[in-house]
Amino acid sequence: VILITTKKGRKGLGVTINAGITGGRVDKSTFIKYQKEYGGGYGPTFASTDVDGDGVRDRVVRLSHDASAGPRFDPNLLVFQSDAFTPGNPNFGRATPWVAAQNDPSSFFQDAITLNNSIAINGGNDNGYFKLGYNSIRDKGILPNSNVNKNIVNFAGSLNLTPRLTTSASVNFSQVDGKGRYGTGYSGNYGDNPMTNFRQWWQTNVDIKEQKAAYEYQKQNASWNLSSPTNRVPQYWNNPYFNRYQNYETDSRYRTFGNVVTTYKFADWFNVLGRVTLDSYDEIQEERLAVGSVG
């Protein structure tokens, strides 16, 4: 909430400039704690199929399973995992040791930063005053591809037209543009809320930084949760970076509010006041579901 309180100007002319910067980051001590004993799967067995065409059946993680109640980790076991079926990945076509991922989803979040800059000009004399201000807020969130930008202009002034007649005005205008605001609740297959994915439906053998590289290779939905080794369509969950950069939300809101007041003083004990007020806004919100997404 931004609360704008107008105040009277002073004699002469004054200029006030303020600048501020605030940073933030995820507190990983409050984040999900992942076990590192079992990998992807609904049960303790791998899938078995000949991946490399040598006539021998290979161990393959159950790609369509979105849980981590699978086989116990063993660095001596070589297993074909989702990165083996993702073009552009260094492990494409290769079996890799069956171990817990080096980077869990806590590395998905980025440092937040807010820039808050403002300038105010005010002045006045015996016949009136004015105050004009501008405030710029640039807020980058902790999720990739998320930001909120605000521009706020406010004006207040008063003028004594005659010893008995005074007029004043206050006008405020704000523009708010949001991008990639957080999804809420359980959003099912679309995964707009990454926490529903990270909290329960995740394979602990999946490295979140490898998911980022997989998305950035061709900006495609290179998910860890494939339907099968021969079907790269995601079963339940998109690549989390694909969601953030392709299925993001945007919104814009423009608001104007203020008033104009005229007061006529008939006597020291009696005056008449007339006021006209306005509070108007328009808003648009857009959501996307990119081609290649689950659903």
Side-chain angles (χ1 to χ4, degrees):
V1 175
I2 296 176
L3 179 64
I4 300 172
T5 303
T6 59
K7 60 182 180 181
K8 291 186 177 181
R10 59 188 179 187
K11 286 188 176 182
L13 185 66
V15 178
T16 303
I17 298 175
N18 288 299
I21 181 170
T22 305
R25 60 176 49 185
V26 168
D27 182 358
K28 293 187 179 183
S29 69
T30 66
F31 196 66
I32 304 159
K33 303 298 188 297
Y34 293 97
Q35 55 82 19
K36 299 181 181 295
E37 191 172 351
Y38 298 93
Y42 298 153
T45 60
F46 293 105
S48 178
T49 184
D50 183 7
V51 175
D52 50 17
D54 62 358
V56 178
R57 287 185 172 272
D58 302 295
R59 298 185 191 89
V60 182
V61 65
R62 296 191 182 275
L63 300 166
S64 63
H65 292 192
D66 56 349
S68 293
R72 186 187 297 271
F73 286 128
D74 182 348
N76 296 314
L77 294 180
L78 295 180
V79 180
F80 284 91
Q81 304 181 52
S82 58
D83 53 3
F85 307 101
T86 304
N89 191 294
N91 294 327
F92 181 67
R94 297 176 54 237
T96 52
W98 184 237
V99 294
Q102 183 176 355
N103 300 289
D104 66 39
S106 65
S107 299
F108 182 70
F109 303 94
Q110 61 188 17
D111 290 345
I113 187 170
T114 299
L115 304 177
N116 192 339
N117 301 292
S118 66
I119 180 171
I121 304 172
N122 62 69
N125 54 35
D126 292 337
N127 291 320
Y129 74 91
F130 78 93
K131 179 176 182 289
L132 177 64
Y134 169 70
N135 188 205
S136 168
I137 301 173
R138 299 292 180 262
D139 189 1
K140 185 187 78 168
I142 59 171
L143 285 180
N145 199 36
S146 66
N147 58 71
V148 177
N149 296 323
K150 302 176 183 179
N151 295 288
I152 304 166
V153 179
N154 57 80
F155 169 82
S158 177
L159 181 63
N160 300 325
L161 299 174
T162 71
R164 293 183 178 273
L165 182 62
T166 301
T167 183
S168 63
S170 174
V171 180
N172 299 271
F173 172 78
S174 64
Q175 174 192 359
V176 180
D177 294 317
K179 181 179 182 181
R181 292 187 191 267
Y182 311 147
T184 58
Y186 180 72
S187 14
N189 289 345
Y190 304 151
D192 299 329
N193 179 358
M195 297 307 295
T196 61
N197 189 178
F198 298 157
R199 166 66 59 179
Q200 180 176 6
W201 309 110
W202 185 255
Q203 291 190 0
T204 53
N205 50 289
V206 174
D207 191 298
I208 194 69
K209 290 189 177 181
E210 288 184 358
Q211 280 288 281
K212 181 180 182 181
Y215 164 71
E216 292 178 343
Y217 174 61
Q218 289 183 322
K219 302 296 190 292
Q220 298 296 316
N221 192 7
S223 174
W224 58 273
N225 185 214
L226 305 179
S227 297
S228 74
T230 58
N231 184 357
R232 296 181 58 240
V233 174
Q235 179 71 22
Y236 301 114
W237 298 98
N238 299 319
N239 180 302
Y241 289 92
F242 181 86
N243 264 339
R244 292 304 305 166
Y245 287 97
Q246 301 293 334
N247 293 340
Y248 60 92
E249 171 271 358
T250 56
D251 57 85
S252 296
R253 178 181 173 116
Y254 299 85
R255 183 185 181 195
T256 303
F257 66 95
N259 61 75
V260 177
V261 179
T262 299
T263 303
Y264 189 82
K265 185 177 183 180
F266 286 94
D268 291 341
W269 54 273
F270 179 68
N271 62 59
V272 175
L273 179 148
R275 177 188 289 116
V276 177
T277 64
L278 170 71
D279 190 345
S280 174
Y281 74 89
D282 61 89
E283 183 175 15
I284 183 171
Q285 179 173 330
E286 298 177 298
E287 298 181 7
R288 295 160 180 78
L289 186 61
V291 174
S293 300
V294 174

